[in-house]
Amino acid sequence: MSLDRIRPSDARADTPLTAAVSAARWIRSAAIDDEHGRRWRANPDPRGRSALAPEPSSLYAGAAGVVLFFLELAAATGHESYLEDARAGARRLAATWRGQDDPTLYHGLAGTMITLMEAGWALGDEALEEQAGAIADHLVRRGAAAPGGARPRDAARLPDGGWTRDPAQFRDGGWTRDPAQLGDGGIVLALLRAAAHFGEPAYEEAAVEAGLRIAALPVPGHRFGERSGPPPGLPADAVTPGFLAGTSGTAFLLARLYGVTGDERFLRAARSGADFVREVSVVGDRCASVPHHVPHARRLHYLGFCSGSAGVARMFYELYRVAGDPGDLDWVERLARGVVESGVPARRTEGYWNTACQCCGAAGLVELFVGLWAATGRPSCLELARVLAADLIARATDHDGRGYRWYQAYRRLRPGEVSADTGYMVGAAGIGAALLHLDAAGRPDSARRVLLLPDNPFPVIPVPPSSLPSS
């Protein structure tokens, strides 16, 4: 890929690491301690209002994501004090998770479980790991207790190994009745991670059972579940090919399940989703862009993770990783070229507006290009990641000396609602994590593991093997 080398003229002198440290200083100013441990206000500004409704424990915008950031910052800097931040937050998550009702990855229990697994391992705290295992057990029981969530006793096997049942049971099974990453899909990915972490077959079995229900959908993941309907602002008949709430994220899950099980049913279903995404995409000269939703917004092309190229590229890379078809890697590169040709970061488009976060902004693009460099070793990918990071750092604000934060219009349709948040997918913790991943990519002589969520297919050591020193 040939990438632009334009750097913002007002880029700060900070490195990605020093910018992440400054972001941590601001997040620390939002800390609230109680008898259970620590959480962080979503927006500590005087009279500040978060981009989202309060989610004090969530991975998306609450304590779970902030804990992950502090764990990474401790590994990057060697400073024990960041481990203390992470420990205080993890202990509160461990003490309060039973009060959470949402089972999902980004907004609920599955995300808390991921964070407690990582914190327990990094801190050497068996009590945190025990609570992570308790959450996994709870999720398995809850999924089995839901309508259609367990294999019916009187079901008969089909020739392909599946089970006969009422199609309505497939629709209503699982945890949320939504197959997308924001629903059952994210929970399945989290259970697969838990199965690998704990060596517990029951977690994988529950994930596979739920995955088979999802794979039975005609075009897996492209319909909204009955739990919540379409996201706000979208028509009821909208179809989203993107990642968090659409086809690409579900196809990613099915590809992951194929890689785990070798079951061709998962690969066929993942291919069905990928073919749908190809069909609705706009393809140019070695480039591709994905519409936000069809049939109403074919010309609205997000670039970020949630609904745009950065997320869809993950799906195609996962397919390439587990099945080895070079055509899937070609689509990863087409989507990446589409981002480059859009003119980021200097040029704002309708799908790349005033947003900096992991979910729909520049930090998600940093993650994409660092991941692509780690997977392919192409210097142009790392160069664009550095350009995007320099622009992010230049956009940081520290008007009161408390540290870096990023003011953004999280909702594209409400450009006047500008706020700065502390959380992972929507704020400074996730931006800081993306900068730390870039920092790790620039240190091949001291390669370190980075904390990637279960829906990230790229290497956890963000350095191409050819760059690592030989033993």
Side-chain angles (χ1 to χ4, degrees):
M1 287 173 280
S2 174
L3 307 184
D4 293 337
R5 301 177 63 88
I6 299 173
R7 295 185 181 277
S9 59
D10 60 344
R12 298 175 189 266
D14 297 82
T15 67
L17 180 58
T18 60
V21 168
S22 185
R25 188 154 49 90
W26 183 66
I27 294 170
R28 278 176 160 175
S29 75
I32 299 175
D33 291 334
D34 60 24
E35 69 274 17
H36 299 300
R38 181 170 300 166
R39 62 183 177 89
W40 293 267
R41 292 192 299 275
N43 186 325
D45 283 350
R47 296 182 299 279
R49 189 176 69 174
S50 170
L52 298 173
E55 295 182 304
S57 298
S58 78
L59 183 60
Y60 195 91
V66 175
V67 168
L68 290 181
F69 170 59
F70 278 120
L71 289 173
E72 292 219 64
L73 192 57
T77 63
H79 292 171
E80 291 285 328
S81 64
Y82 297 128
L83 288 181
E84 293 307 312
D85 290 291
R87 181 178 285 107
R91 285 179 174 171
R92 190 176 197 281
L93 291 172
T96 61
W97 70 262
R98 288 174 178 82
Q100 287 183 269
D101 182 61
D102 191 317
T104 62
L105 174 63
Y106 278 104
H107 297 284
L109 285 168
T112 297
M113 178 188 71
I114 293 295
T115 296
L116 290 177
M117 285 194 304
E118 294 288 358
W121 183 86
L123 297 167
D125 190 328
E126 292 184 2
L128 297 179
E129 296 219 41
E130 287 174 3
Q131 292 304 309
I135 295 174
D137 293 339
H138 171 82
L139 289 171
V140 170
R141 289 193 300 269
R142 182 166 170 176
R151 188 169 65 236
R153 293 177 182 271
D154 57 352
R157 274 201 181 274
L158 297 171
D160 66 355
W163 295 86
T164 61
R165 70 171 70 180
D166 183 340
Q169 287 185 297
F170 279 107
R171 185 184 67 242
D172 295 340
W175 297 267
T176 68
R177 295 182 293 179
D178 185 343
Q181 292 277 29
L182 284 177
D184 282 13
I187 300 170
V188 171
L189 286 173
L191 285 174
L192 290 175
R193 175 74 68 85
H197 184 87
F198 292 110
E200 176 50 68
Y203 302 158
E204 182 177 316
E205 290 168 6
V208 170
E209 185 72 24
L212 287 171
R213 289 193 298 272
I214 294 171
L217 297 173
V219 178
H222 84 279
R223 293 182 302 180
F224 298 115
E226 294 178 4
R227 180 175 66 111
S228 58
L234 292 189
D237 60 341
V239 175
T240 56
F243 201 79
L244 277 188
T247 307
S248 293
T250 307
F252 174 99
L253 162 69
L254 295 164
R256 175 66 55 83
L257 283 166
Y258 170 70
V260 169
T261 66
D263 189 328
E264 291 288 335
R265 288 173 292 177
F266 289 124
L267 182 59
R268 288 196 298 270
R271 288 274 176 229
S272 175
D275 288 346
F276 171 76
V277 173
R278 285 188 175 100
E279 181 180 347
V280 301
S281 294
V282 176
V283 181
D285 183 16
R286 303 176 66 205
C287 296
S289 298
V290 182
H292 181 267
H293 62 279
V294 294
H296 319 83
R298 290 185 178 272
R299 295 184 180 181
L300 174 58
H301 303 133
Y302 276 33
L303 300 184
F305 161 73
C306 60
S307 302
S309 300
V312 177
R314 290 188 183 192
M315 179 268 288
F316 281 110
Y317 186 77
E318 181 70 4
L319 268 172
Y320 172 73
R321 190 183 70 84
V322 300
D325 186 339
D328 294 318
L329 184 59
D330 176 69
W331 262 79
V332 175
E333 294 176 347
R334 285 177 178 272
L335 290 161
R337 288 192 194 98
V339 172
V340 173
E341 294 301 318
S342 74
V344 298
R347 181 170 177 259
R348 300 288 175 208
T349 68
E350 193 176 8
Y352 184 73
W353 63 100
N354 177 27
T355 179
C357 62
Q358 285 259 7
C359 184
C360 47
L365 292 180
V366 172
E367 295 278 28
L368 170 65
F369 286 99
V370 169
L372 286 177
W373 177 73
T376 67
R378 293 178 180 170
S380 57
C381 296
L382 189 58
E383 175 61 22
L384 184 57
R386 287 171 172 154
V387 170
L388 288 159
D391 182 70
L392 262 177
I393 294 169
R395 293 165 59 192
T397 298
D398 184 15
H399 59 274
D400 54 8
R402 290 190 297 161
Y404 282 176
R405 81 253 17 207
W406 284 263
Y407 288 92
Q408 61 178 356
Y410 172 71
R411 292 179 172 84
R412 180 182 63 87
L413 296 178
R414 302 178 188 174
E417 291 185 5
V418 175
S419 64
D421 283 64
T422 57
Y424 197 93
M425 294 304 295
V426 73
I431 295 170
L435 295 174
L436 291 177
H437 299 165
L438 176 60
D439 173 75
R443 300 175 187 269
D445 294 334
S446 56
R448 66 178 186 264
R449 175 177 174 266
V450 299
L451 302 184
L452 300 182
L453 299 181
D455 57 13
N456 192 319
F458 297 116
V460 295
I461 305 293
V463 178
S466 59
S467 299
L468 292 172
S470 58
S471 57

